[in-house]
Amino acid sequence: AASLGTLATAFDVRLLAECASTNSELIDAPPADDGRIAIVVTDRQTAGRGRRGRLWQSWSGGSLTFSALWRFQPGAPVPAGLSLVVGLAVVRALEKLGVEGLQLKWPNDVLVHGDKLAGILVELLPGRGRTPAAVVGIGLNLRLPAGASIPDQPGVTDLAAHLAELPDRSALLASLLAELHALFETYAAAGFPALRGAWQQRNAFADLPVRVSGEGRELDGICAGVDEDGALLIRGDDGLVRILSGEVSLRVR
Ligand code: ATP
């Protein structure tokens, strides 16, 4: 893991007591590029987003909610597999804290034994003459309030259910940033192929019958992992199909 000193020079961390969405903070007002990864953390996110306009819920004191601004080379292709890399960083940080049963669900969920623990939302920022960038949002359930109800999610969990003692939020954030830093470095140097094996080891749906739905279509098949671009591979009756877009949902049949 990176030392605290390395982290301090690698990241520019801004703390907000409250905001609508940490992703929106970075999208609407991206800080000037000084070579550091900009981070916005908030204690209270009032309008967190998921994919396709869905809501991400969080609770003051019960969630860790933050976003990172990741800049990539002008002219570079869209950073393939980025949301998968972020999921892997979250899993690795939590594994080091002793959480067992962590899994990744393509493209962007972190599960524990099938229940959703964290969500990740990657949004691309067009270059507009500047370096193109991606904003990476992470919402992690620390302790769900009693009676919390989350629509459309079969199973939800929190970190408190999987650790004897919750780490304090700044220590947890530091572990997550250290892991993000390490994986961003690998990803920048070698791309998603360098991390594909590690992702597949934690694939929640590996070799299971699944249904992919969205964008007006449905596809049934066996989940055959991800390819070198982070695209989902489904083995159906007519052979292997690649699913590139994240705008679809994946379910076990
Ligand atoms: P799926 O792949 O399961 O269809 P998704 O990956 O598209 O979901 P996201 O867009 O990442 O989901 O997140 C939004 C969804 O996550 C919401 O519709 C809700 O069901 C669920 N959700 C919202 N807040 C939380 C939370 N704190 N913990 C777990 N799940 C949540």
Side-chain angles (χ1 to χ4, degrees):
S3 70
L4 264 182
T6 317
L7 285 179
T9 53
F11 292 99
D12 167 26
V13 181
R14 190 152 55 102
L15 292 162
L16 299 176
E18 179 180 313
C19 71
S21 143
T22 53
N23 266 29
S24 297
E25 288 289 328
L26 287 170
I27 290 171
D28 296 344
D33 185 2
D34 64 0
R36 292 183 295 172
I37 299 171
I39 304 288
V40 171
V41 196
T42 191
D43 185 44
R44 224 175 81 81
Q45 179 169 254
T46 55
R49 288 194 299 279
R51 301 185 298 149
R52 292 164 286 164
R54 299 164 71 180
L55 293 176
W56 181 260
Q57 301 195 38
S58 51
W59 297 268
S60 182
S63 313
L64 179 61
T65 311
F66 68 101
S67 298
L69 183 68
W70 164 254
R71 292 186 164 92
F72 45 98
Q73 288 306 310
V78 169
L82 186 58
S83 72
L84 284 71
V85 172
V86 176
L88 185 59
V90 172
V91 162
R92 285 206 175 160
L94 298 179
E95 281 173 351
K96 286 181 183 169
L97 294 176
V99 180
E100 289 172 12
L102 286 156
Q103 301 166 317
L104 289 161
K105 178 186 160 197
W106 187 92
N108 64 343
D109 290 349
V110 177
L111 314 178
V112 186
H113 299 302
D115 296 332
K116 189 156 167 176
L117 174 70
I120 290 159
L121 180 67
V122 174
E123 297 182 283
L124 293 175
L125 249 70
R128 282 176 294 198
R130 285 176 302 202
T131 317
V135 170
V136 169
I138 299 176
L140 174 63
N141 297 330
L142 301 180
R143 194 184 294 278
L144 296 170
S149 95
I150 295 176
D152 306 320
Q153 202 61 50
V156 173
T157 191
D158 61 11
L159 204 52
H162 304 284
L163 285 177
E165 206 178 323
L166 271 185
D168 74 55
R169 281 198 302 161
S170 52
L172 185 58
L173 179 64
S175 318
L176 288 162
L177 293 185
E179 217 54 59
L180 268 178
H181 185 250
L183 291 198
F184 276 169
E185 298 266 288
T186 305
Y187 179 72
F192 184 69
L195 298 165
R196 178 184 173 206
W199 195 92
Q200 303 212 104
Q201 274 174 19
R202 281 108 171 160
N203 180 8
F205 293 168
D207 302 321
L208 292 177
V210 292
R211 171 165 298 166
V212 180
S213 48
E215 299 185 339
R217 61 178 178 158
E218 245 176 25
L219 174 69
D220 285 351
I222 302 294
C223 180
V226 292
D227 73 4
E228 309 246 298
D229 295 322
L232 179 69
L233 298 174
I234 301 292
R235 183 168 297 113
D237 293 340
D238 303 325
L240 213 53
V241 180
R242 288 176 84 220
I243 314 277
L244 248 182
S245 159
E247 299 299 303
V248 294
S249 268
L250 180 62
R251 293 271 182 269
V252 189
R253 279 184 285 142

